[in-house]
Amino acid sequence: MVIGTIADTLTRGVGNVTDTLSETFFEPVVRIGVTGLSRAGKTVFITSLVANLLDRGRMPQLAAEAESRILTAYLQPQPDDTVARFDYESHLAALTARAPRWPDSTRAVSELRLSLRVRPTGLLAGLQGPRTVHLDIVDYPGEWLLDLGLLEQSFENWTDATLKRLPQRPGSEPFLSLLGGVDPNEEFSEPKAKALAETFTGALQTAREAGFSDCTPGRFLLPGEKAGSPALTFAPMPKPDSPARRGLWREMERRFEAYKSQIVKPFFRDHFSRIDRQIVLVDALGAIHAGPPALDDLRRTMAGILKAFRPGSNAWLTQLLRGRRVEKILFAATKADHLHHSQHQRLTAIMEALTREARDRARFAGAETSAMSIAALRATVEQTLPHNGSELDCVRGTLLNPDGSRGRQAAFYPGALPEDPAHLLTPAREGATGWLDADYEIMRFAPAPLTLKPGEGPPHIRLDRAAQFLVGDRL
């Protein structure tokens, strides 16, 4: 077994060296991780990004396109044969149909390779012809990313932290009531473990729907093929003074450790640790609408997410010696089209404040970071309407009914975001339960019908700037 492990490690090392040399000297590959928590818009972001890189008429802020150096772009089979392909064609068809609809959300890891034929710039322009740059876009649920923080925790520590925050969240009462009637040292039984796990999962789902971000373990919300396995059938439980060998607490602890070793670590090893550039999509408007507790939870979640990254410079020799490190991280507040453009800078400032701790930590480690507000697909148009003798900057779009069907057209004013982000973050930090002097609303809009000209991708807000930050230096 030891010899087999050594051989496997050497094989991986040789493979990494070969891949690194090939990417550096022949056709460079940039692996872009796209993640975000539920309803942040990962699927729409990837679909619109690919569509706008294939037809670049709406990408003026992408320098290589503005300089007419991108000769062509095309999709290729992805290099990872065991990873599902991102279903770009089906998602684009949903967004561009006569009655467009939002595509299904991310539920597992998927990947897509987009290759660009690019003319070099600078001194190399006259010495070599066009080269091919491969963009491997990896889509994965943000809930799984949060799980990486569990690797540093014991079952006892995770239980203490989880039971401390559950009472402040809606939907936790059934689980806490059930847990209160359980003796941690009673003999383990599968029905009791299943009941605790299912009730705890219900509490996580309710908290997520209420706008809370830190809902771990993430696979409880998106179990995939692991649904019903023992590694996903546990729940937080206070440690007894003397844990019984065959007791319920011991088995919960064992399953928590199995979750880390058999689910979280393979995800880190096989997918996350190979990422070069990363974008984290954030539904900041949804958190603001949910109230101060949800916004402060989002702030702490953003700080925790950075612990999962290995930021730093990705020089090819460094790759050979230490493995890949994330070079650039973009934190993007999505759904900017839900606001009039006069408020976009305020949303960006809130995003910068929310991620300040995370971005400072990444910069210290050598990674370049940025924050911006974007809309991968613009679903609204702007409209200014008279109101009580003044004017309101609104957005107009087709409302989305609770059942997902398209509703009526409506103009919407979400409320004015403050110029100073501290007016939101300070009461959130101090434990306020509601906004004292403002009411922030959010609506769900259906995608607008599209009429695209030849060479144009779907309409967006600052998607070209996001692409420039993520990959502009490699083109």
Side-chain angles (χ1 to χ4, degrees):
M1 182 178 296
V2 174
I3 293 177
T5 301
I6 295 174
D8 179 66
T9 302
L10 290 175
T11 301
R12 287 179 180 269
V14 172
N16 288 338
V17 170
T18 303
D19 291 345
T20 299
L21 292 175
S22 175
E23 294 172 10
T24 301
F25 296 112
F26 299 102
E27 294 184 349
V29 177
V30 184
R31 288 181 65 85
I32 306 169
V34 180
T35 195
L37 302 178
S38 177
R39 294 187 293 274
K42 297 178 293 296
T43 302
V44 175
F45 174 86
I46 295 175
T47 303
S48 184
L49 176 65
V50 172
N52 277 285
L53 287 175
L54 290 171
D55 294 297
R56 298 172 295 282
R58 300 184 191 268
M59 301 291 279
Q61 296 298 316
L62 182 60
E65 174 59 24
E67 297 164 0
S68 300
R69 292 191 295 104
I70 302 180
L71 304 180
T72 186
Y74 48 95
L75 293 173
Q76 290 202 81
Q78 70 211 53
D80 298 322
D81 293 331
T82 59
V83 177
R85 182 181 183 273
F86 181 83
D87 195 0
Y88 165 74
E89 292 81 6
S90 295
H91 298 326
L92 183 64
L95 294 173
T96 57
R98 179 166 296 182
R101 59 177 178 82
W102 297 118
D104 295 334
S105 60
T106 298
R107 304 195 65 83
V109 177
S110 62
E111 185 178 357
L112 192 70
R113 167 166 283 195
L114 177 67
S115 299
L116 294 91
R117 193 73 172 158
V118 184
R119 198 164 35 227
T121 186
L123 295 176
L124 295 178
L127 300 178
Q128 66 181 45
R131 63 192 177 99
T132 299
V133 179
H134 302 292
L135 305 182
D136 288 348
I137 303 172
V138 182
D139 176 28
Y140 64 95
E143 287 81 359
W144 296 7
L145 176 62
L146 293 178
D147 279 348
L148 295 179
L150 300 180
L151 296 177
E152 300 177 350
Q153 299 183 49
S154 66
F155 178 62
E156 183 179 0
N157 292 338
W158 173 73
T159 289
D160 291 343
T162 301
L163 294 183
K164 182 178 180 180
R165 62 174 175 259
L166 274 181
Q168 282 74 48
R169 298 182 175 185
S172 62
E173 294 83 2
F175 169 71
L176 294 176
S177 176
L178 180 62
L179 181 65
V182 171
D183 178 5
N185 266 341
E186 69 179 76
E187 186 174 356
F188 171 80
S189 71
E190 194 64 48
K192 181 61 66 72
K194 183 178 179 181
L196 286 167
E198 289 178 348
T199 312
F200 176 59
T201 300
L204 294 179
Q205 291 171 340
T206 302
R208 182 178 63 172
E209 292 169 0
F212 288 89
S213 305
D214 187 2
C215 300
T216 56
R219 286 292 183 103
F220 279 44
L221 298 172
L222 295 171
E225 75 282 1
K226 304 295 184 181
S229 64
L232 266 68
T233 309
F234 65 90
M237 179 173 290
K239 183 179 181 180
D241 293 334
S242 300
R245 183 181 176 186
R246 298 183 182 277
L248 187 59
W249 188 90
R250 282 290 188 199
E251 180 62 16
M252 291 293 190
E253 180 190 37
R254 188 195 70 78
R255 293 185 176 193
F256 176 79
E257 294 299 328
Y259 182 85
K260 293 196 299 181
S261 63
Q262 298 176 28
I263 294 179
V264 181
K265 285 184 179 179
F267 166 66
F268 180 83
R269 180 190 66 232
D270 298 336
H271 303 290
F272 184 76
S273 63
R274 301 167 56 200
I275 289 171
D276 302 303
R277 311 287 170 92
Q278 176 70 50
I279 179 168
V280 180
L281 303 174
V282 182
D283 184 11
L285 289 176
I288 294 171
H289 169 65
L295 186 64
D296 191 56
D297 186 66
L298 176 60
R299 178 191 61 80
R300 288 184 279 104
T301 299
M302 289 296 102
I305 279 177
L306 222 288
K307 296 178 181 179
F309 291 101
R310 300 190 304 165
S313 177
N314 215 358
W316 74 272
L317 185 58
T318 304
Q319 293 180 32
L320 291 178
L321 297 177
R322 296 188 302 177
R324 276 189 168 91
R325 301 180 73 83
V326 180
E327 299 172 318
K328 291 189 175 188
I329 306 173
L330 175 62
F331 295 93
T334 58
K335 304 178 184 178
D337 59 328
H338 287 40
L339 299 173
H340 191 273
H341 76 272
S342 59
Q343 294 204 57
H344 288 181
Q345 185 54 47
R346 297 184 182 188
L347 179 59
T348 299
I350 292 170
M351 193 67 215
E352 290 174 342
L354 278 172
T355 60
R356 173 66 185 273
E357 182 181 347
R359 290 186 296 115
D360 286 349
R361 190 176 299 159
R363 287 170 181 165
F364 183 79
E368 184 180 351
T369 69
S370 183
M372 64 178 66
S373 54
I374 68 170
L377 180 72
R378 185 159 199 159
T380 65
V381 295
E382 295 183 349
Q383 186 174 9
T384 300
L385 298 175
H387 180 73
N388 294 335
S390 61
E391 293 185 333
L392 291 181
D393 291 329
C394 304
V395 293
R396 174 177 288 276
T398 301
L399 299 181
L400 197 65
N401 293 324
D403 62 359
S405 62
R406 299 173 67 83
R408 60 184 178 86
Q409 276 267 330
F412 172 66
Y413 178 70
L417 296 176
E419 292 187 18
D420 184 355
H423 292 168
L424 292 177
L425 297 185
T426 298
R429 283 177 180 268
E430 293 176 350
T433 58
W435 306 117
L436 294 178
D437 55 353
D439 186 20
Y440 303 104
E441 296 292 338
I442 189 170
M443 299 297 294
R444 297 181 64 202
F445 290 103
L450 300 179
T451 302
L452 303 179
K453 298 178 181 178
E456 283 187 349
H460 60 81
I461 297 175
R462 285 181 283 278
L463 188 64
D464 50 348
R465 286 183 55 189
Q468 174 63 27
F469 175 82
L470 289 170
V471 299
D473 60 320
R474 300 296 295 271
L475 301 180

